[in-house]
């Protein structure tokens, strides 16, 4: 496949992870190439979100190794992983509720970089025109410029999801992990989301998307990875994976 | 919305413009200096000094609370600061000014221990743990008679400096509390307005999300707790020098932990001036209105006042002056 010639962005080697003493991930091997859109599908409880938590450092892998751009990030704390260039959204949209939409984005811009350059004692309310324009631009990308000064908790659910994407993008990531990106979106919004994904890829981002329902993923991704019960059961092109007998039985429960 | 100042668009509009900010700052400074040049009655000065002390204590407490954790054990820092300073001066004849710093640092060390031990605790469990942590120290100090003189307390603590006057309530000491209040205000302001403050804000809204956008939440929490405990320790030392007598129940008591919470909530936790103003207003009100009017039941009336004020403005007195956003 053509992607084999491209550089690897993220590599997981035999990742095992536990939650509350229960094994959730049992030996995940996965490679994601630069500028690829990979979707992880699978039924509830397959370990998809846990996998994102492990990659972004929220849950420590009990064994295995994670390489990002050939750098071992297995045991780094979340904020350091963010500084290296991995951003994520959450399954349940959680914006900083008391901040406005643009403040959410700006907060990510301030802290998403190398912290040694952070001016801790500078007033955060005085932002330069350049930063402001960049934040507005990010809101435009996700289609929220008119809500810039609205408090995040007053946004609708789909707006909050888009704000999450803008906030993740504000940290200047190379790899973007989207958790349940398309859940609860209207058909029109899904069209927009597809456009957004391709747009992001053309900006040089690599995307790893989790999708429970197969609505967005199927159309946008280069590669599908199917998970069930903490294992990868199939991987490859859309057709290959969706027609894979194990995947069908996992989804239908037979 | 386009006509708003480009510099601050998107962020909450500040309560005051730059010009009126300067006026506010100079007003505060002038007000703080008035009692030095025109000394009021001794009782007024003493209440004023103590109000500034408690206001600073509330600022220090809130600094930690701004990181999203409510402490009910700041008396530990207060008492550790007081006892460390007084005992180090007593045993090693250390200059009181130097022991002021020692007291602060000792409290900060205890703060670091809190951080390490309560690392995983949140919400109610954390609050309970802080309460217990204050009790532990209190009982140790209460019973370790050979070192701390136990529940008998320590008396005859000399003032921080000798003025040659009999009374402890005079403008020289008032100045110390005024300086303390100014320092507390500056630190409290920065905990609300700087990038560090923004990091605190994001941390308290959601630790998980904050760290996902690159906020080093543990660093932010630790710095907030260390500065908070240091300042609380300093308050404790100044208190011991001013009152001239300490005993475990005084400096480790629950009221020392609870008072800053009351003042901070009453004044408005998310306003730079909130905790200090809360302390000044409530302490004055208590000492000059409640105590003379209801000598025996003043604490009940005090409690009732708190309930009524919080009922009327849940976000503190200062929130009444904030322009309400019109929801469109």
């Amino acid at each position: 496949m053509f992607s084999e010639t491209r550089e690897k962005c993220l590599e997981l080697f035999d990742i095992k992870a536990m939650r509350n003493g229960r094994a959730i991930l049992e030996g995940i091997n996965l490679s994601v190439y630069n500028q690829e859109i990979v979707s992880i599908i699978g039924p509830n409880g397959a370990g998809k979100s846990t996998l994102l938590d492990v990659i972004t450092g929220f849950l420590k892998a009990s064994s295995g190794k994670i390489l990002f751009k050939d750098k071992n990030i297995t045991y780094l704390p979340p904020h350091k992983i963010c500084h290296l260039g991995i951003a994520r959204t959450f399954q349940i949209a959680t914006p900083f509720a008391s901040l406005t939409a643009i403040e959410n984005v700006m907060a990510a811009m301030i802290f998403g970089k190398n912290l040694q350059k952070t001016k801790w004692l500078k007033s955060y309310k005085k932002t330069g025109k350049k930063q402001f324009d960049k934040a507005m631009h990010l809101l435009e990308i996700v289609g929220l410029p008119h809500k810039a000064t609205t408090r995040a908790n007053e946004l609708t659910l789909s707006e909050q999801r888009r704000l999450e994407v803008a906030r993740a993008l504000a940290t200047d990531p190379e790899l973007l992990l989207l958790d349940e990106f398309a859940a609860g979106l209207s058909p029109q919004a899904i069209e927009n989301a597809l456009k957004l994904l391709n747009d992001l890829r053309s900006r040089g981002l690599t995307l790893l998307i989790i999708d429970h329902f197969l609505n967005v993923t199927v159309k946008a991704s280069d590669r599908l990875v199917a998970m069930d019960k903490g294992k990868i059961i199939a991987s490859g092109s859309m057709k290959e994976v969706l027609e894979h007998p194990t995947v069908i039985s996992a989804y239908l429960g037979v | 919305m386009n006509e708003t100042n480009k510099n601050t668009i998107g962020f909450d509009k500040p309560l005051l413009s730059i010009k009126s900010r300067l006026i506010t700052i100079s007003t505060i400074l002038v007000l703080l200096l008035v009692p030095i040049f025109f000394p009021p009655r001794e009782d007024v000065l003493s209440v004023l000094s103590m109000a500034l002390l408690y206001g600073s204590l509330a600022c220090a407490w809130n600094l930690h609370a701004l990181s999203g954790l409510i402490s009910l054990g700041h008396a530990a820092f207060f008492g550790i600061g007081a006892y460390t300073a007084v005992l180090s001066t007593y045993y090693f004849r250390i200059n009181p000014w130097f022991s002021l710093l020692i007291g602060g640092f000792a409290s900060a060390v205890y703060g670091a221990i809190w951080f390490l031990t309560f690392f995983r605790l949140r919400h109610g469990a954390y609050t309970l743990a802080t309460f217990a942590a204050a009790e532990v120290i209190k009982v140790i100090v209460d019973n370790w008679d050979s070192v701390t003189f136990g529940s008998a307390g320590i008396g005859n603590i000399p003032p921080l400096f000798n003025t040659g006057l009999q009374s402890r309530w005079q403008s020289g000491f008032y100045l110390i509390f005024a300086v303390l209040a100014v320092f507390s205000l500056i630190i409290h302001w920065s905990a609300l307005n700087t990038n560090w403050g923004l990091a605190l804000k994001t941390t308290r809204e959601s630790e998980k999300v904050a760290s996902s956008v690159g906020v080093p939440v543990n660093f932010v929490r630790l710095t907030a707790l260390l500065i908070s405990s240091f300042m609380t320790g300093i308050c404790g030392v100044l208190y011991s020098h001013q009152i001239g007598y300490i005993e475990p129940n005084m400096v480790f008591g629950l009221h020392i932990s609870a008072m800053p919470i009351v003042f901070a909530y009453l004044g408005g936790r998310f306003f730079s001036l909130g905790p200090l103003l809360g302390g000044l207003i409530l302490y004055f009100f208590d000492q000059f209105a409640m105590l003379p009017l209801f000598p025996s039941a003043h604490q009940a009336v005090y409690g009732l006042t708190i309930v009524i004020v919080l009922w009327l403005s849940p976000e503190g007195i200062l929130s009444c002056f904030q322009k309400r956003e019109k929801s469109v």
Side-chain angles (χ1 to χ4, degrees):
Chain A
M1 220 175 128
F2 71 101
S3 57
E4 298 293 334
T5 54
R6 283 192 274 179
E7 265 178 68
K8 278 178 182 167
C9 178
L10 181 77
E11 283 175 282
L12 309 182
F13 297 102
D14 198 27
I15 290 295
K16 292 188 175 122
M18 318 256 287
R19 220 167 220 169
N20 302 328
R22 207 158 58 87
I24 305 284
L25 298 178
E26 299 174 28
I28 300 281
N29 286 294
L30 179 68
S31 297
V32 179
Y33 299 87
N34 277 340
Q35 280 185 278
E36 199 180 19
I37 301 182
V38 175
S39 291
I40 302 177
I41 60 167
N44 277 334
K48 298 171 300 216
S49 291
T50 306
L51 185 63
L52 285 206
D53 278 355
V54 170
I55 296 172
T56 47
F58 286 100
L59 183 69
K60 296 283 167 257
S62 49
S63 77
K65 194 164 78 165
I66 306 170
L67 294 184
F68 174 65
K69 308 252 167 199
D70 296 326
K71 196 174 184 308
N72 190 347
I73 59 164
T74 320
Y75 299 107
L76 289 181
H79 71 269
K80 289 210 171 125
I81 291 175
C82 167
H83 296 151
L84 285 174
I86 301 181
R88 70 169 291 181
T89 64
F90 292 89
Q91 187 169 7
I92 299 157
T94 34
F96 300 123
S98 75
L99 296 175
T100 61
I102 197 166
E103 284 175 328
N104 266 274
V105 176
M106 280 182 166
M109 277 166 59
I110 292 170
F111 300 110
K113 301 282 152 46
N114 189 354
L115 279 182
Q116 269 136 20
K117 284 185 195 153
T118 305
K119 293 177 184 113
W120 290 106
L121 294 179
K122 188 176 159 280
S123 170
Y124 77 84
K125 286 176 182 169
K126 290 191 183 114
T127 43
K129 175 116 175 56
K130 225 171 111 187
Q131 276 173 301
F132 174 77
D133 287 346
K134 195 188 159 196
M136 272 314 264
H137 177 66
L138 288 171
L139 285 179
E140 272 159 27
I141 289 179
V142 298
L144 286 175
H146 55 294
K147 298 279 179 150
T149 49
T150 309
R151 271 181 199 281
N153 57 0
E154 288 164 12
L155 297 173
T156 65
L157 191 64
S158 106
E159 283 167 346
Q160 288 186 353
R161 279 189 183 282
R162 282 186 276 160
L163 178 58
E164 288 240 317
V165 178
R167 192 181 58 199
L169 288 174
T171 63
D172 260 351
E174 288 170 60
L175 173 64
L176 184 59
L177 311 174
L178 301 171
D179 199 348
E180 297 280 358
F181 175 58
L185 292 188
S186 65
Q188 179 57 42
I190 287 175
E191 283 303 310
N192 291 339
L194 280 174
K195 236 177 81 205
L196 174 61
L197 294 183
N198 283 314
D199 192 32
L200 293 177
R201 191 233 303 262
S202 60
R203 283 160 195 273
L205 264 79
T206 311
L207 290 118
L208 187 62
I209 307 165
I210 285 184
D211 206 355
H212 178 63
F213 303 102
L214 301 165
N215 40 15
V216 169
T217 42
V218 171
K219 292 173 195 156
S221 30
D222 303 325
R223 198 149 59 90
L224 249 59
V225 174
M227 277 180 75
D228 188 32
K229 296 178 185 130
K231 290 194 185 95
I232 289 180
I233 52 175
S235 161
S237 72
M238 187 181 106
K239 198 167 178 303
E240 276 167 25
V241 171
L242 292 183
E243 287 172 6
H244 200 285
T246 336
V247 177
I248 294 170
S249 72
Y251 260 91
L252 296 178
V254 285
Chain B
M1 262 173 244
N2 288 328
E3 71 273 13
T4 32
N5 183 1
K6 266 272 189 281
N7 258 352
T8 54
I9 188 171
F11 290 97
D12 277 349
K13 269 168 235 138
L15 220 54
L16 307 162
S17 68
I18 293 178
K19 199 175 157 193
S20 43
R21 263 187 202 182
L22 279 177
I23 296 173
T24 317
I25 292 170
S26 37
T27 316
I28 294 169
L29 285 178
V30 169
L31 281 179
L32 281 173
L33 287 175
V34 163
I36 292 172
F37 297 111
F38 307 100
R41 285 198 335 252
E42 203 172 77
D43 59 336
V44 178
L45 198 64
S46 76
V47 170
L48 194 57
S49 303
M50 288 322 265
L52 287 177
L53 177 83
Y54 290 135
S56 308
L57 189 63
C59 287
W61 174 85
N62 196 36
L63 207 61
H64 173 237
L66 283 174
S67 72
L69 298 169
I70 301 293
S71 150
L72 197 55
H74 262 53
F77 303 134
F78 194 82
I80 286 177
Y83 263 92
T84 313
V86 168
L87 289 177
S88 63
T89 310
Y90 176 80
Y91 283 118
F92 308 111
R93 303 266 156 246
I94 289 171
N95 182 315
W97 286 101
F98 191 57
S99 69
L100 180 72
L101 287 178
I102 294 179
F105 280 118
S107 301
V109 168
Y110 198 57
I113 295 172
W114 272 28
F115 184 79
L116 293 174
T117 43
F118 304 156
F119 192 70
R120 292 180 184 283
L121 301 182
R122 293 291 176 270
H123 309 297
Y126 182 86
T127 307
L128 185 62
T130 56
F131 175 63
E135 288 299 302
V136 167
I137 294 289
K138 180 181 160 189
V139 171
I140 291 175
V141 174
D142 218 349
N143 291 290
W144 199 1
D145 290 21
S146 56
V147 175
T148 62
F149 304 100
S151 49
I154 304 168
N156 285 329
I157 301 166
L160 204 53
F161 52 86
N162 196 357
T163 50
L165 293 165
Q166 273 282 287
S167 167
R168 281 170 186 263
W169 297 112
Q170 44 182 292
S171 42
F173 294 123
Y174 167 79
L175 184 64
I176 294 175
F177 293 108
V179 171
L180 176 75
V182 169
F183 264 105
S184 309
L185 270 186
I186 292 171
I187 294 173
H188 194 249
W189 178 88
S190 53
L192 287 169
N193 293 290
T194 60
N195 281 340
W196 179 62
L198 182 63
L200 279 172
K201 192 171 185 170
T202 55
T203 305
R204 92 175 158 259
E205 294 237 336
S206 167
E207 221 171 306
K208 200 172 173 183
V209 179
S211 57
S212 86
V213 297
V215 178
V217 283
N218 287 330
F219 168 77
V220 170
R221 282 228 156 109
L222 178 65
T223 45
L225 180 55
L226 287 184
I227 299 172
S228 170
S229 51
F230 182 83
M231 279 167 61
T232 309
I234 296 278
C235 289
V237 184
L238 292 176
Y239 176 87
S240 68
H241 281 297
Q242 197 56 41
I243 303 293
Y245 169 74
I246 53 172
E247 56 147 337
N249 277 324
M250 263 167 85
V251 291
F252 286 109
L254 181 61
H255 64 287
I256 295 287
S257 296
M259 221 160 19
I261 307 182
V262 173
F263 293 155
Y265 269 95
L266 206 84
R269 274 182 59 208
F270 303 115
F271 298 93
S272 312
L273 276 173
L276 188 75
L277 215 62
L280 279 172
I281 293 173
L282 205 60
Y283 195 68
F284 257 88
F285 189 57
D286 180 44
Q287 296 293 312
F288 286 121
M290 307 289 220
L291 216 50
L293 285 175
F294 313 98
S296 54
H298 83 108
Q299 288 201 319
V301 185
Y302 191 72
L304 204 62
T305 318
I306 294 167
V307 171
I308 291 170
V309 171
L310 286 179
W311 180 51
L312 292 176
S313 61
E315 287 178 23
I317 297 170
L318 275 176
S319 68
C320 300
F321 301 101
Q322 195 182 29
K323 280 175 208 135
R324 292 261 161 232
E325 279 174 44
K326 277 181 200 144
S327 45
V328 184

